[in-house]
Amino acid sequence: MKKSLLVVALSGAFAMSAHAQSSVTLYGLIDAGLIYTNNQGGHSNWQEVTSSTQNTVFGLKGTEDLGGGLHAVFKLEQGFLLNNGAQAFSGDGFGSQAWVGLQSDPYGTLTFGRQFDVMNDLVGPLTAGTNTWGGNMAAHPFENDNLAADSVVVNNMVKYASPTYRGVTFETMYAFSNKAGSFANNRSYGFGVSYTEGPVNLAAGYLQFNNAGGAGSAVTTGDTSANFLAQRQRIWSLGGNYTFGPATVGLVWSHTQLDNASGVFSFGTGTYLGANDPSAGSLTGSLRLDNYEANVKYALTPALSVSGAYTYTHGAYNGSSPGWNTGMLQADYSLSKRTDFYLEGVYQNVHGAPADSVLSHAMINTLSPSSSNTQVAVTVGMRHAF
C-alpha cells in the first residue's frame, strides 16, 4: 500500500513538472462600437461596427520547453466581425495567424505558416495605425504600406527573428508561391531591423510582393489578404519615437511603389475598386505613394490618455500628383487593464487625383469610400481583452 502511494505521488510530481514546462493559452480581443460617417457613397451613415481600432480576434498560443534554451511555439488566431459573427478572412479557419516554430534563447526564433510580415512587426508599432491609441481607422490611405496590423497576412512564410542584442532586433522572411513552374510569381520577401534603448525606439524595413493579389499563394484576393492588385508592390519604411514622462512622440516615413496596378481593396465594400467595380473609377498603371506621419500620445492620468496623428501622403499616378491629408484624434479611458472605452475622430481629404480614378474619393480605412474628396468619421467604442 505504501509503495502504491509512493508511485502515485511521484507520478503526480512528474505530471506537474511536465505541465510547468509547457502551456497553452486561450486569448482574444473584442473591439465594438458605433460610428458616424458624413459620406459613404454620397450618404451619411450610422453603423454598429467592429475592429475600428484593433482587430477582433480569438486564438490559441502555446510553448513547450524542449530543454537547453529551446522551445516549441505555435499560434492559431482567427479574426471575426462581432456584429454578425462572420470571418474576417472569408473561408480561412485561422485567417489572422497560423504558425508553428522553434524558439532558441541564444539564437532566435524560426517560424513557419501564415504570419504578419517583418516590417509590420518592427516598424508598425511606431505608427498610430498599429497601436490602440489610433488603430485601423488611422492607417495610411488604402493601408498602402501595410503598417497597420489589420488586413495583410502572408501565406507560406518562413520567418526568422533574432534575439535582442544591445537593443537591436533583426527579422527576415520569405513567403513561397507554392506553384510549380512559377517560383517567383506571387511570392513575398522582406527584412526589418529595430533598436530600442531607454526612451528611444527606431526601426526600418523593406517588403516586396510579386503579383500581389494574383491567384495562388503569398497574398490572395480569395480571402482579401491583398490590399492591391499589382504586378509588383515594394515598400520601404523608416521611423522612430521618443518617450519623455507621460508623452510619446513619433515620426514615420514610408514609400510604396506599385507597378501595373489594377485595383485597391475597399474594406468597407469588400471589393477591389477599380478592378471589379468600374463605377468606383479606374486604377491602371504605376502608383507611387510617400507617407509622412507625425504622432503623439499623452497620458493625462494612469487611466485617461489622449492621442493624435497627422499623415500627409504624396502620390504620383499617370502624370498626376494626388495628395492625401489624414488626421486622427482619440481619447481613451481604461476601466481596468483589460477593458477600456475610446472616442476617436478621423478626417481625410484628397486632392489632385484624376476625376475618373478611384484615388479621387476619400476612403478612411475600414469604411466605404466617400462620393467626394473628403470623409469624416467619429466612433465611440469599447475594447475588452481576455
Side-chain angles (χ1 to χ4, degrees), residues 139-210:
H140 302 156
F142 315 113
E143 229 280 82
N144 68 83
D145 50 13
N146 199 29
L147 290 179
D150 69 333
S151 58
V152 179
V153 191
V154 185
N155 295 327
N156 312 324
M157 184 195 295
V158 180
K159 178 162 66 174
Y160 169 76
S162 75
T164 300
Y165 177 72
R166 294 188 176 181
V168 177
T169 302
F170 173 78
E171 291 190 11
T172 187
M173 55 163 274
Y174 188 93
F176 291 84
S177 69
N178 277 9
K179 296 189 70 175
S182 300
F183 183 82
N185 188 42
N186 200 349
R187 64 177 176 176
S188 177
Y189 53 88
F191 61 87
V193 61
S194 70
Y195 172 78
T196 301
E197 185 65 34
V200 177
N201 294 275
L202 304 171
Y206 173 78
L207 178 65
Q208 179 166 325
F209 295 118
N210 286 2

Side-chain angles (χ1 to χ4, degrees), residues 50-309:
T50 184
S51 304
S52 290
T53 61
Q54 300 299 111
N55 293 348
T56 295
V57 300
F58 70 90
L60 294 169
K61 60 182 177 181
T63 179
E64 181 187 11
D65 189 345
L66 302 176
L70 188 64
H71 311 266
V73 291
F74 78 90
K75 181 175 282 190
L76 301 172
E77 183 179 287
Q78 173 65 303
F80 65 100
L81 308 180
L82 187 73
N83 50 316
N84 60 15
Q87 296 172 321
F89 296 91
S90 179
D92 291 348
F94 292 99
S96 294
Q97 297 185 70
W99 52 261
V100 67
L102 291 173
Q103 175 184 321
S104 167
D105 294 340
Y107 299 113
T109 303
L110 188 66
T111 50
F112 305 82
R114 180 175 170 87
Q115 307 173 66
F116 290 116
D117 65 77
V118 296
M119 201 164 69
N120 191 293
D121 289 347
L122 300 183
V123 186
L126 302 176
T127 70
T130 291
N131 284 283
T132 58
W133 46 266
N136 296 331
M137 287 178 60
H140 302 156
F142 315 113
E143 229 280 82
N144 68 83
D145 50 13
N146 199 29
L147 290 179
D150 69 333
S151 58
V152 179
V153 191
V154 185
N155 295 327
N156 312 324
M157 184 195 295
V158 180
K159 178 162 66 174
Y160 169 76
S162 75
T164 300
Y165 177 72
R166 294 188 176 181
V168 177
T169 302
F170 173 78
E171 291 190 11
T172 187
M173 55 163 274
Y174 188 93
F176 291 84
S177 69
N178 277 9
K179 296 189 70 175
S182 300
F183 183 82
N185 188 42
N186 200 349
R187 64 177 176 176
S188 177
Y189 53 88
F191 61 87
V193 61
S194 70
Y195 172 78
T196 301
E197 185 65 34
V200 177
N201 294 275
L202 304 171
Y206 173 78
L207 178 65
Q208 179 166 325
F209 295 118
N210 286 2
N211 193 27
S217 355
V219 289
T220 72
T221 58
D223 62 5
T224 66
S225 290
N227 276 350
F228 288 94
L229 302 176
Q231 183 180 30
R232 183 172 62 176
Q233 181 177 357
R234 291 173 288 174
I235 308 169
W236 293 260
S237 65
L238 175 68
N241 66 27
Y242 186 83
T243 300
F244 51 99
T248 300
V249 295
L251 296 172
V252 178
W253 165 81
S254 66
H255 174 77
T256 299
Q257 291 188 199
L258 292 154
D259 300 328
N260 293 326
S262 59
V264 56
F265 189 71
S266 166
F267 298 95
T269 64
T271 58
Y272 285 89
L273 303 179
N276 56 7
D277 186 4
S279 63
S282 63
L283 182 64
T284 56
S286 297
L287 175 63
R288 305 288 185 266
L289 296 165
D290 282 282
N291 306 281
Y292 305 91
E293 177 186 330
N295 57 63
V296 61
K297 178 191 176 186
Y298 189 88
L300 297 171
T301 71
L304 178 63
S305 67
V306 293
S307 58

